[in-house]
Amino acid sequence: MSTAPQTVEPALLVAGRLVHDVDYGDVINPATGEPFARYPIATAALAEEALSAARAALPAWAADAPRRQEVLRQIAAVLHERSEELAATLSGEIGIPLRDARLEVKMASAMLMHRAEAELPVDVVHDDERQSVRVVRDPVGVVAAIIPWNAPLLIACEKMGSAFAAGDTCVIKPSSMAPLTLVRLGTLVRDIVPEGVLSVLSGGNELGAVLTSHPDVAMVSFTGSVATGKRIMEAAVPTLKRLSLELGGNDAAIVMPGADIARLAPKIFQGAFYRSGQICAAVKRVYVHERDEQRLLDAFGALADAAVLGDPFDEHVTMGPLSNRPQLQEVSGMVQDALDTGGRAVSGGAALDRPGFFYPPTVVTAVDADTKIVKDEQFGPALPVVPYETLDGAVAAANGTEFGLGSSVWGDDVQAAAEVAAQMQAGSAWVNRHGLVMPEVPFGGFKYSGIGRSNGAVGIDAYCELKTISVAKPRG
């Protein structure tokens, strides 16, 4: 009964004007598997126009910090005022329950307000009778922000907010699998943002290639797959573009021996299956002591059975569909591979026989480190549970991956759990929580999980060139 909004053909924001006269593509409703709206496809010529305007707008924008702060506040206010519209569009195109879409809009607005209150710091290294040495922040320039489909509004606002706070101009490219919310945002803020400071260009891989290789782009900020991140790095080489790459993860959760399973299992389950597991920093592997494994599996099985799958606009639904058909096929294939190689599904185990891209919360056991669902990122509602004999063995297994985005340790003895967390090779190591991302706290990963950090002060520095001003003072 999907009530996804039947959006009229939207327009691109290009250098301060709205552009309708382009080709359009279909947007698929994940709850039905059928087209429900269309999105505009930007041409290379429009990308050139947007980048030229962004370059021209840089000097005045970079020089006016109060204006930048006010623009961020006004965009945050638009998100608040149009939250229901934006949340409905978001639910319609990516399939998350409406209440979760509302939360994303709220978090995106808060992210912008956080950056609106920030002032570019000046680091005073020396200030004495001999010399003055300080480090100031200059904008990088034009930023191409390339956005994934799983949390498009939140991720775009983090990138745009950081870029604007630093004095950069920004061209946003949403995923062709989730373009509507960001294209609509561009229309809503057209009269707020100075001409050229922001453009929103939806399109496919060809448009991405134009942005990541264009000489006017000084920085590419990308969230997505490792394979695409590598291609962006290659495209950036000729002009030595600055890069911020968040490339996903295979987050491990370790349950301490003897932990209170009844108390912790719902939190771990939520960390794995929230938004159908389609979060970069979701729990994707659980390591539990062999004596506690069955109790954890029983708890997870009961939680999976209690989940209500269905249309994201139904207030009783707790889990919507996967966001697109390729992701449904990926998750289905990984679970089937696990079952074919000796694994056992405690819950779920196959896509639902109904329209749309529905896959039930699936917990798999009897799998080893070489099973695809353990060693690779599934990015969906499928969770392997692996028993361990010793904590040292669990830590080694958790770290034995090419990813290193997030990790968590769960137990009743917080100090002991924190000591284990300190051994995890990941950008975030949580204790008795997982996936908590805050505007003031740096976020990013080790190894293949990316380059650089978003959020916090270091997230501003990523969008800046740091310049040292060293002055020798005259001696009297």
Side-chain angles (χ1 to χ4, degrees), residues 164-186:
F164 284 5
D168 302 316
T169 54
C170 191
V171 176
I172 292 177
K173 180 202 170 296
S175 167
S176 59
M177 292 182 178
L180 293 179
T181 307
L182 294 183
V183 169
R184 181 58 180 157
L185 178 65

Side-chain angles (χ1 to χ4, degrees), residues 235-388:
V237 167
T239 51
L240 293 178
K241 300 185 191 306
R242 303 298 183 261
L243 295 175
S244 175
L245 305 177
E246 196 264 276
L247 306 180
N250 190 4
D251 291 17
I254 295 177
V255 183
M256 298 285 283
D260 186 345
I261 298 298
R263 180 176 66 87
L264 296 175
K267 298 178 182 179
I268 303 171
F269 187 89
Q270 175 76 353
F273 291 100
Y274 179 60
R275 294 173 65 128
S276 298
Q278 296 173 118
I279 300 176
C280 297
V283 173
K284 297 184 175 71
R285 299 172 286 153
V286 175
Y287 295 91
V288 60
H289 194 276
E290 55 191 11
R291 290 194 302 268
D292 301 322
E293 180 188 15
Q294 191 58 53
R295 286 189 295 130
L296 185 65
L297 291 174
D298 290 344
F300 280 170
L303 291 163
D305 290 342
V308 181
L309 273 70
D311 188 277
F313 292 90
D314 183 338
E315 64 179 10
H316 301 294
V317 163
T318 62
M319 183 178 292
L322 276 80
S323 292
N324 52 73
R325 189 180 304 278
Q327 202 56 38
L328 175 66
Q329 294 170 340
E330 178 72 10
V331 172
S332 298
M334 292 181 104
V335 172
Q336 191 58 52
D337 172 77
L339 301 180
D340 290 344
T341 54
R344 178 174 64 88
V346 176
S347 63
L352 299 187
D353 185 16
R354 57 171 291 179
F357 310 136
F358 289 93
Y359 200 95
T362 296
V363 178
V364 178
T365 187
V367 289
D368 59 32
D370 293 327
T371 308
K372 187 174 177 61
I373 201 170
V374 177
K375 69 179 182 178
D376 293 337
E377 180 183 27
Q378 66 272 44
F379 214 74
L383 180 68
V385 175
V386 182
Y388 66 83

